[in-house]
Amino acid sequence: MGEMEWDRQEVKRLKKKQLIHSNLLLLFFFILFVIYSQNGGALTVVIGICCIVLSIYAANLLYTLITGHAVGTKTYKRVLAFDIEHMGKKRWKRRRIIELIFLLVLILGIIVALFTFNLGEASLTFPLDFFPMLGGWIGMNIGQISRIRNLS
């Protein structure tokens, strides 16, 4: 599809749908986090699960960069096709490579922190450990909403 063939309203609708999907996924993780922390969960398990989720995301990003094919829902694939065409393949690829490098450094830092610091005694306290997750969630929403509004 040429750039002129894309219906901006349809792309906005798809991006809003994608935002709803990601919010539902984060809500699911948040509920699991609350349940786990209320039952006396360990901080190392939560950090390890975050590392695994980030690794899966990085693997999906690497696969998309190498093959050019996306793994995910039809909405995700259409939004990805629009982003590639809208930004240009070279610019899109450069941004995704930077994102992948950042993710790999973050994952490596998490792994080093898990094995370096003694977190075995640390437990989760729901109200206090909730705020960083809430901040990331709000930040993701603000970023996505501003990108959707800038599509005009």
Side-chain angles (χ1 to χ4, degrees), residues 57-87:
Y57 179 70
N60 184 26
L61 185 60
L62 182 63
Y63 176 78
T64 303
L65 277 170
I66 292 173
T67 64
H69 301 291
V71 176
T73 63
K74 188 166 71 169
T75 301
Y76 175 74
K77 291 176 183 180
R78 290 188 65 200
V79 168
L80 182 67
F82 171 79
D83 286 343
I84 291 172
E85 192 167 314
H86 181 70
M87 279 192 244

Side-chain angles (χ1 to χ4, degrees), residues 46-147:
V46 172
I47 292 173
I49 289 173
C50 287
C51 186
I52 290 169
V53 170
L54 287 174
S55 298
I56 292 169
Y57 179 70
N60 184 26
L61 185 60
L62 182 63
Y63 176 78
T64 303
L65 277 170
I66 292 173
T67 64
H69 301 291
V71 176
T73 63
K74 188 166 71 169
T75 301
Y76 175 74
K77 291 176 183 180
R78 290 188 65 200
V79 168
L80 182 67
F82 171 79
D83 286 343
I84 291 172
E85 192 167 314
H86 181 70
M87 279 192 244
K89 184 130 179 126
K90 187 175 181 180
R91 184 173 162 213
W92 176 85
K93 197 168 198 169
R94 185 176 44 228
R95 282 189 175 188
R96 295 303 165 242
I97 289 171
I98 290 169
E99 182 180 356
L100 181 64
I101 291 170
F102 175 76
L103 276 173
L104 293 175
V105 168
L106 181 64
I107 292 166
L108 184 64
I110 290 171
I111 291 170
V112 168
L114 274 176
F115 290 109
T116 304
F117 301 116
N118 185 12
L119 299 174
E121 304 275 331
S123 63
L124 297 170
T125 55
F126 169 64
L128 295 176
D129 294 332
F130 157 74
F131 291 115
M133 186 176 186
L134 182 64
W137 196 348
I138 291 171
M140 183 219 43
N141 279 307
I142 290 171
Q144 290 296 330
I145 290 170
S146 69
R147 284 186 206 98

Side-chain angles (χ1 to χ4, degrees), residues 9-25 73-79 140-141 144-145 148 151:
Q9 293 303 319
E10 176 69 13
V11 173
K12 282 185 177 185
R13 187 186 68 76
L14 291 172
K15 286 193 177 230
K16 287 176 185 175
K17 186 177 177 181
Q18 194 174 27
L19 180 63
I20 290 170
H21 288 164
S22 61
N23 274 312
L24 289 174
L25 183 67
T73 63
K74 188 166 71 169
T75 301
Y76 175 74
K77 291 176 183 180
R78 290 188 65 200
V79 168
M140 183 219 43
N141 279 307
Q144 290 296 330
I145 290 170
I148 290 170
L151 276 178

